[in-house]
Amino acid sequence: MKKWTTLAVLMALPASVAVAAVPYRSMPPGFEAPHIRTAPIAGVVNQYWYNYKADILEAEKELSSDLRHATDREDRWDAWDEWETEVVDADKDYVKEMRKKGYRSGRVTVGG
């Protein structure tokens, strides 16, 4: 039941609200944030897209909590590293599931 409630909340929120939860201003200098998808692969909205969005929101919530409890620079770096790992894993899982369903993420190649 909790999973369906989370999905209903995600559907009600615009994408910009979900991304705004990350305190990018406190990102360590030189830290590169991973790409977070703003649109589903091939425009297909399904359970895997909602799972991806839920994973991203959970990672952002955990990051905010970890940053609040950080006592030194190393704690902050650890929080950001963990967030990056979770975001990348969520993306890999989403892409993997969509490939199983026959959808591919678009790729543009310029040149030869």
Side-chain angles (χ1 to χ4, degrees), residues 4-32:
W4 289 108
T5 304
T6 303
L7 292 177
V9 169
L10 283 174
M11 290 175 55
L13 293 175
S16 61
V17 173
V19 175
V22 177
Y24 286 107
R25 66 188 176 285
S26 65
M27 189 179 293
F31 187 86
E32 292 290 327

Side-chain angles (χ1 to χ4, degrees), residues 18-91:
V19 175
V22 177
Y24 286 107
R25 66 188 176 285
S26 65
M27 189 179 293
F31 187 86
E32 292 290 327
H35 174 72
I36 297 176
R37 293 177 188 273
T38 57
I41 294 173
V44 176
V45 176
N46 57 17
Q47 72 181 21
Y48 304 116
W49 171 247
Y50 292 122
N51 289 344
Y52 170 75
K53 297 303 285 182
D55 290 345
I56 296 300
L57 284 176
E58 179 63 29
E60 291 173 350
K61 181 179 171 184
E62 190 173 323
L63 172 64
S64 295
S65 175
D66 289 348
L67 290 175
R68 272 195 310 275
H69 295 99
T71 57
D72 59 10
R73 188 174 76 181
E74 185 177 343
D75 288 346
R76 287 187 293 278
W77 267 96
D78 288 344
W80 282 103
D81 284 337
E82 183 179 343
W83 171 77
E84 177 184 30
T85 301
E86 291 177 9
V87 168
V88 169
D89 286 346
D91 191 68

Side-chain angles (χ1 to χ4, degrees), residues 37 39-45 49 94-95 98-99 103-106:
R37 293 177 188 273
I41 294 173
V44 176
V45 176
W49 171 247
Y94 174 58
V95 169
M98 290 301 282
R99 279 190 185 138
Y103 299 106
R104 305 266 186 224
S105 54

